[in-house]
Amino acid sequence: MGFQCGIVGLPNVGKSTLFNALTSGNAQVANFPFCTIDPHVGVVPVPDERLARLEDMYHPRKTTPTFVEVVDIAGLVRGASAGEGLGNQFLGHIRSVDAIIQVVRVFDDTEIIHVHGVVDPVSDLEVIETELVLADLASIEARISKLEKNAKSGSKDLVWQKELLQAIRGQLEKGLPARLLDVEEERKAFRDSLGLLTQKPVLYVANVSDDFSDLSSDKYARLQQAVASRNAVLLPVSARIEAEIAALDKEERKAFLVDLGMKESGLERIVRMGYGILGLITFLTAGEDEVRAWTVPQGTPAPKAAGKIHSDIERGFIRAEVMKFEDLDRLGSEKAVKEKGLLRLEGKEYTIQDGDVVYFRFHV
């Protein structure tokens, strides 16, 4: 596992309510800023209907989904990059996660205090983004200063590294996140090593009213435009409704979603989309002992994927026997897939694809 999505936002926008619903956890929820200081961490299964289908075929002793860790990070405020509101702690927590789920409040409720006194989702988004940009700008300035001290060495790498750092600085000075800057493929490893907050992928979650009436509001339309300009995705949810759904058992949950006209809960969409913005895919293993989903980054070669199961399998990798889940689902059994000649033998150069059902052959 080890992949983390951090939930961020201003105080009192519904972060902890959403986290509790996602994880069935017990993060403190209160109507005042900074009720969350230390980040809470929850482990959330990634919804995958393919596991249920494989269960029907293999009747395993157990079924194990893949997971993403979700971190509830305390609310940031204007000035966090300069240490306001325990800002340094919070920025450090954000730095440690792989992706950001930014919760933006759209709903109006006079009983729930807004830290700025008025609900303006675009302004809230910009406050958070500005603090992350300022923190990154300070980090980049320090990097450039250090690099310039070493420039006399004449290293060609130092030349292009300085150029890239200056390009990132220019992007940040415009108030734009680093992730929107195009970087040559061979220089991405250096960029990624910088640990920039605004380089992290972001999923924006609009916390709307229980009846979803906000979706037709001018506030929501402006938020949509702001998110689209950042080449990102906006997902509307009602954190309070999601908390109610999460408290139901499986059958009650299904019935409630039908009543709402929804195929899946907002929480399931958040987890699935959070998984997606991390650039992750799922491969599957299936047998009488266990049906299991495994997480790997897109582009993972077969031996590395095998190493997710056990290091010995990667070390002694011989080949991968691969079926597409779609073929297995359509034909109804592994035997039928083999009879149709659709089971493939793949070597070390094969790149694992989402939905591959794999058996690894190895020898140690």
Side-chain angles (χ1 to χ4, degrees), residues 34-79:
F34 312 123
C35 68
T36 307
I37 296 176
D38 294 324
H40 297 80
V41 180
V43 179
V44 183
V46 178
D48 196 329
E49 295 179 353
R50 295 172 296 195
L51 290 175
R53 181 67 178 123
L54 292 176
E55 274 187 305
D56 291 340
M57 293 183 200
Y58 289 89
H59 306 288
R61 295 182 180 86
K62 66 176 180 176
T63 299
T64 307
T66 190
F67 296 89
V68 170
E69 290 182 3
V70 179
V71 184
D72 179 25
I73 299 171
L76 281 102
V77 294
R78 189 177 282 118

Side-chain angles (χ1 to χ4, degrees), residues 55-335:
E55 274 187 305
D56 291 340
M57 293 183 200
Y58 289 89
H59 306 288
R61 295 182 180 86
K62 66 176 180 176
T63 299
T64 307
T66 190
F67 296 89
V68 170
E69 290 182 3
V70 179
V71 184
D72 179 25
I73 299 171
L76 281 102
V77 294
R78 189 177 282 118
S81 60
E84 292 292 330
L86 302 178
N88 292 332
Q89 284 187 48
F90 302 160
L91 292 171
H93 295 152
I94 295 172
R95 204 175 300 280
S96 69
V97 301
D98 301 295
I100 295 170
I101 299 171
Q102 183 172 335
V103 181
V104 183
R105 176 176 168 179
V106 180
F107 71 89
D108 284 308
D109 189 331
T110 56
E111 294 183 3
I112 300 178
I113 301 165
H114 189 285
V115 71
H116 294 149
V118 62
V119 177
D120 184 340
V122 174
S123 175
D124 292 357
L125 180 155
E126 290 173 347
V127 167
I128 298 295
E129 196 166 79
T130 296
E131 295 308 319
L132 301 186
V133 163
L134 290 173
D136 279 352
L137 194 53
S139 174
I140 288 295
E141 293 283 9
R143 287 267 188 170
I144 291 175
S145 177
K146 183 178 179 180
L147 190 145
E148 286 176 342
K149 290 178 181 177
N150 298 326
K152 293 180 181 179
S153 67
S155 167
K156 291 183 179 179
D157 284 344
L158 291 181
V159 173
W160 69 256
Q161 287 174 7
K162 182 179 179 180
E163 290 174 352
L164 179 54
L165 289 171
Q166 289 173 330
I168 294 172
R169 179 173 63 184
Q171 179 88 345
L172 295 170
E173 287 175 339
K174 295 175 186 175
L176 299 173
R179 64 181 170 275
L180 296 183
L181 180 69
D182 288 331
V183 176
E184 295 174 21
E185 191 65 35
E186 63 270 20
R187 299 184 177 182
K188 287 182 178 179
F190 173 72
R191 177 205 61 190
D192 294 345
S193 73
L194 301 174
L196 298 175
L197 300 172
T198 62
Q199 186 60 46
K200 297 179 186 296
V202 180
L203 169 64
Y204 294 93
V205 173
N207 190 7
V208 301
S209 56
D210 297 354
D211 61 2
F212 289 86
S213 58
D214 298 320
L215 299 187
S216 58
S217 69
D218 178 63
K219 282 189 298 186
Y220 187 74
R222 288 190 294 107
L223 180 60
Q224 283 182 305
Q225 292 175 356
V227 171
S229 71
R230 290 157 171 79
N231 297 327
V233 176
L234 177 65
L235 181 62
V237 303
S238 167
R240 284 194 295 204
I241 291 293
E242 295 300 331
E244 290 180 23
I245 294 172
L248 301 174
D249 65 32
K250 190 174 182 180
E251 292 307 314
E252 289 175 325
R253 192 176 304 165
K254 281 184 180 179
F256 191 57
L257 289 173
V258 169
D259 289 342
L260 292 174
M262 297 165 61
K263 291 184 178 180
E264 61 179 349
S265 72
L267 298 181
E268 289 172 324
R269 283 180 290 155
I270 289 171
V271 174
R272 186 163 42 77
M273 294 172 75
Y275 188 76
I277 65 171
L278 283 167
L280 304 175
I281 63 170
T282 299
F283 75 91
L284 306 148
T285 53
E288 292 182 358
D289 286 337
E290 184 180 26
V291 163
R292 183 161 181 167
W294 302 87
T295 298
V296 292
Q298 291 177 354
T300 298
K304 283 288 184 186
K308 291 287 292 185
I309 300 173
H310 198 286
S311 58
D312 284 349
I313 305 179
E314 179 179 2
R315 185 159 55 91
F317 180 91
I318 299 173
R319 66 175 182 270
E321 299 177 2
V322 183
M323 297 177 284
K324 288 185 178 179
F325 171 80
E326 291 77 7
D327 292 334
L328 188 56
D329 185 38
R330 175 171 49 87
L331 296 171
S333 72
E334 190 173 316
K335 180 181 178 182

